[in-house]
Amino acid sequence: MNRKAFTLARFITETQAGYPAATGEFSALLVQIGLAGKILTRDLRRAGLLDILGATGETNVQGEAVKKLDTIANETLIKVFQHTGLVCALASEEMEKPLFLSENWPHGKYMLLFDPLDGSSNTDVNMPMGTIFSVLHYEGAAGPAAEDLVRGGTQQVAAGYLMYGSSTVLVFTSGKGAHEFTLDPDLGEYLLSKEGIRMPMKGAVYSANEGNACKWVPGVRRFIDYLKEADKPTARPYTLRYSGCLVADVHRLLTGGGIYLYPAETNKPEGKLRLLYEANPLAMVVEQAGGRASTGVERILAITPEALHQRVPLLIGSGDDVAMAEAFIQGKR
Ligand code: AHG
Ligand code: MN
Ligand code: MN
């Protein structure tokens, strides 16, 4: 069947049947995420004309400067889920503690964790940004507590991201492949643009903040040096592409393959990125597209998390490229 005119809601109800997340409520939840994406697209398109650029002057729970757009994106996500009956708890990079939406309970059994604005250093320079989301299902009877949101990545019932680039795309998986929808700005609808994304097993692109190379653990430095050597049969040297937005860099890898790294540093073994709302959801998408996501020594989705805002080293992308990086980090090469 030609699914090119499939909207998000129709795609979920007609093609995801039989999967745990494939309910009318799940479809409504994704439509609400799409709505947040439309609102943020509208804001970002005219950001330079409004007073929404720059920093708020505050720091978040991660100790990072909060941009005005970080706050706007966070509030947008909260607003679109209040009084919907869809989710009972929200957790975000910009909130120290989860927000329990008691008005949605007991009907709404989904819990949503998100990075409202990924790549927020790009806000003031008209570069790509994203929103990352992870969906969990709460099975208890009493209503969730904070620890119920701290779960391993294999327990995600769905995950994905919005990317605000030259177009706005929504990529999601509910465990049955990864699919891309593109926002048609005239229709105001997300239409299916790629079904069952398969990424190459190997690419020739690496994405990393190489300015930090002096801080990286030695295996990572050796790996990147290896990628920069000339050897045509192995596609080396690799090309460097780094946007400052994890979503945009991973999105590129989904099409052309390669590897993104934000690795462990000698003095910061935990890395920078957050496990529950950055690494886990992107790992689920990438694995569903045939790729791999790792800390260098462990599969991201297999980590048992201990805290909501826990950080993790991240290597993500084509299976062969990530496996090669692991071999260097583990001293096997
Ligand atoms: P966020 O904007 O949500 O804090 O995430 C930024 C992340 C990621 O998107 C990006 O790849 C990386 O941090 C950039 O960090 P550096 O500026 O240290 O390279
Ligand atoms: Mn981020
Ligand atoms: Mn962010």
Side-chain angles (χ1 to χ4, degrees):
M1 193 193 305
N2 181 358
R3 296 200 169 115
K4 282 290 176 190
F6 263 45
T7 61
L8 195 54
R10 184 172 171 214
F11 180 82
I12 296 160
T13 35
E14 293 193 18
T15 68
Q16 306 276 289
Y19 272 71
T23 62
E25 275 144 35
F26 175 70
S27 149
L29 183 151
L30 267 195
V31 167
Q32 288 307 100
I33 289 173
L35 173 61
K38 290 180 199 173
I39 296 170
L40 289 170
T41 298
R42 186 193 61 194
D43 290 347
L44 292 171
R45 291 282 175 260
R46 30 181 88 67
L49 305 173
L50 308 171
D51 182 26
I52 58 175
L53 296 180
T56 61
E58 284 159 22
T59 47
N60 66 12
V61 60
Q62 334 275 340
E64 293 162 350
V66 179
K67 298 282 190 137
K68 288 180 193 165
L69 274 164
D70 284 322
T71 305
I72 290 169
N74 194 55
E75 284 169 359
T76 300
L77 265 303
I78 294 172
K79 268 185 223 146
V80 302
F81 281 104
Q82 276 173 334
H83 307 288
T84 54
L86 296 170
V87 300
C88 52
L90 299 173
S92 142
E93 178 186 342
E94 303 302 335
M95 302 191 292
E96 187 178 356
K97 296 194 171 128
L99 180 68
F100 298 103
L101 298 180
S102 50
E103 75 271 19
N104 288 349
W105 178 259
H107 185 65
K109 298 229 166 167
Y110 290 106
M111 302 185 289
L112 188 71
L113 293 88
F114 55 90
D115 175 357
L117 199 62
D118 176 61
S120 46
S121 68
N122 285 350
T123 50
D124 302 341
V125 291
N126 204 16
M127 295 271 288
M129 282 168 262
T131 296
I132 312 174
F133 60 91
S134 165
V135 184
L136 301 173
H137 193 254
Y138 176 69
E139 270 96 19
E147 57 269 24
D148 291 310
L149 287 103
V150 183
R151 293 196 197 166
T154 54
Q155 294 190 45
Q156 296 173 108
V157 293
Y161 59 84
L162 285 146
M163 178 182 159
Y164 315 105
S166 48
S167 62
T168 294
V169 296
L170 191 160
V171 173
F172 92 97
T173 180
S174 62
K176 197 183 181 188
H179 315 290
E180 179 200 82
F181 295 78
T182 300
L183 178 62
D184 183 320
D186 294 328
L187 299 177
E189 288 274 12
Y190 292 88
L191 299 178
L192 182 63
S193 42
K194 279 185 196 157
E195 182 176 3
I197 300 168
R198 299 305 295 170
M199 63 193 298
M201 275 308 287
K202 182 185 170 331
V205 168
Y206 72 99
S207 288
N209 184 342
E210 214 172 339
N212 289 331
C214 61
K215 305 185 215 163
W216 289 346
V217 295
V220 175
R221 285 210 301 269
R222 285 192 301 108
F223 171 62
I224 297 294
D225 286 345
Y226 174 80
L227 296 185
K228 293 195 291 191
E229 288 167 10
D231 178 44
K232 230 175 179 180
T234 53
R236 291 181 295 146
Y238 275 37
T239 290
L240 166 62
R241 291 281 183 269
Y242 189 68
S243 69
C245 171
L246 167 67
V247 165
D249 288 329
V250 168
H251 190 67
R252 181 203 334 269
L253 301 180
L254 276 186
T255 304
I259 182 167
Y260 170 101
L261 312 85
Y262 213 110
E265 296 176 359
T266 314
N267 293 327
K268 206 176 170 197
E270 72 279 19
K272 172 182 182 182
L273 300 171
R274 281 55 55 122
L275 174 61
L276 296 186
Y277 42 81
E278 291 183 315
N280 269 346
L282 294 178
M284 184 173 178
V285 169
V286 162
E287 284 199 5
Q288 285 290 317
R292 186 174 177 119
S294 159
T295 62
V297 292
E298 188 179 9
R299 179 183 172 219
I300 291 288
L301 295 181
I303 298 171
T304 304
E306 284 163 12
L308 183 59
H309 298 291
Q310 173 172 341
R311 293 176 194 266
V312 72
L314 178 66
L315 288 63
I316 188 166
S318 291
D320 288 355
D321 289 317
V322 174
M324 179 166 49
E326 288 172 324
F328 274 94
I329 289 170
Q330 294 170 22
K332 295 176 184 160
R333 289 186 62 158

